[in-house]
Amino acid sequence: MRYRVPRTAVLSVAVALVAGALVLLVGLTRGAEYQGRVSLLATPAAADGAPYGEVVSLALPALVELARSPSVLQAAAPVSGYAPDELAGHVSVELVPASGLARLSVRAATPERAAAAATALGKAMIDADLLAPAAKLRTLDPRPDVVTVAPDAALVLGLALVGAVAAGLATAAARRLTPGGAGPGPVRRALAAAGVRRPVAVLREDDPAAADRLAVLCRAAGRPVRVLPVAPELAETAAKLAAGLPDEPGDGASVVAVTPAGRQQAELTAAVGVLPADAVLVAVVLA
């Protein structure tokens, strides 16, 4: 017995794979970005100067704004590869609480530019002498730390997985709300093309109430039941449906057509169009 994979599952997996692949492609083909970081430490300027702790606690938060001031950005822009206005969006300052320490980070397109820009920015902030006369800034390390920040393979992979799952679930939900992607519309048009003008019930195979509704329709027709698969691969589904339907006596036939769910219903038109005159189509089942 051959197992038929539901079309909704196949379509959902295909959409999920495409969505995940697109996220991976976009994420991994982004231009590389590097971050250079220097640490600036506030130290007392003189033993008998102004209160060091008070000045540092009040003035150190101003380093965040100082790092984006026009004069400081102008000093670092030539080595960063950005204009001063653009560089402002690539600069960040992190203050370490109760330490007098500030970490200055600059992002750039190459590791050399990131390191040079961080160094130039740190030097410009030291030259600004914001904490005078009580304290002064100095760099902790002779060279800035440089790390790769984009593309982040782990982050991109995670986003791709999330995007794939979301796309697959959305596709499955959409297919569930509109079975076959188009509802009964294509079936109605196929029946009209075959010359069937009266109303015909359209049911889904996976509907729990489908068997009971078919049984009621067949009893009402009062004719022997014939379940007709419009395609060879639907023969097994048709046999299962026929086994659960009542065996009515009489002449002619009550026909239940089994057709694949979808927009293309040419096989249904062909099968219904050649039914004998004493056959009555009572329902179409979407498998």
Side-chain angles (χ1 to χ4, degrees):
M1 181 173 61
R2 187 177 65 177
Y3 175 73
R4 295 176 63 246
V5 179
R7 293 189 177 188
T8 296
V10 174
L11 183 60
S12 298
V13 171
V15 171
L17 290 176
V18 171
L22 287 175
V23 175
L24 279 176
L25 180 64
V26 172
L28 295 179
T29 55
R30 289 178 53 200
E33 190 173 41
Y34 301 86
Q35 178 177 275
R37 187 174 71 177
V38 295
S39 296
L40 302 179
L41 180 65
T43 57
D48 56 349
Y52 165 76
E54 182 179 347
V55 171
V56 170
S57 63
L58 292 176
L60 200 63
L63 292 180
V64 177
E65 296 301 323
L66 178 63
R68 296 181 175 87
S69 64
S71 59
V72 172
L73 292 173
Q74 188 65 46
V79 296
S80 69
Y82 298 109
D85 292 343
E86 295 176 322
L87 180 59
H90 293 75
V91 173
S92 61
V93 179
E94 175 189 0
L95 301 178
V96 180
S99 66
L101 181 66
R103 296 190 178 100
L104 174 66
S105 301
V106 184
R107 301 188 308 277
T110 66
E112 293 79 14
R113 285 182 174 180
T119 300
L121 209 63
K123 183 177 183 302
M125 292 178 68
I126 292 173
D127 293 342
D129 207 11
L130 181 67
L131 305 180
K136 60 182 179 180
L137 292 172
R138 67 176 180 87
T139 56
L140 282 182
D141 303 309
R143 293 183 180 180
D145 295 327
V146 179
V147 296
T148 304
V149 293
D152 188 335
L155 177 60
V156 172
L157 180 59
L159 292 175
L161 289 175
V162 172
V165 171
L169 292 177
T171 301
R175 292 276 295 181
R176 186 67 181 177
L177 291 174
T178 57
V187 172
R188 305 293 186 197
R189 290 190 289 272
L191 296 180
V196 178
R197 304 301 177 187
R198 60 180 184 78
V200 175
V202 180
L203 309 176
R204 283 193 60 84
E205 177 200 1
D206 56 2
D207 183 355
D212 293 337
R213 295 176 64 185
L214 286 174
V216 171
L217 291 171
C218 292
R219 290 193 184 96
R223 300 184 179 195
V225 179
R226 178 186 174 193
V227 181
L228 173 66
V230 304
E233 63 269 18
L234 298 175
E236 182 179 343
T237 300
K240 290 181 179 179
L241 286 174
L245 296 179
D247 187 12
E248 296 289 331
D251 299 326
S254 297
V255 178
V256 176
V258 182
T259 185
R263 301 181 187 277
Q264 302 301 322
Q265 295 293 340
E267 292 174 320
L268 177 62
T269 300
V272 173
V274 297
L275 290 177
D278 59 350
V280 177
L281 181 68
V282 297
V284 175
V285 177
L286 300 174

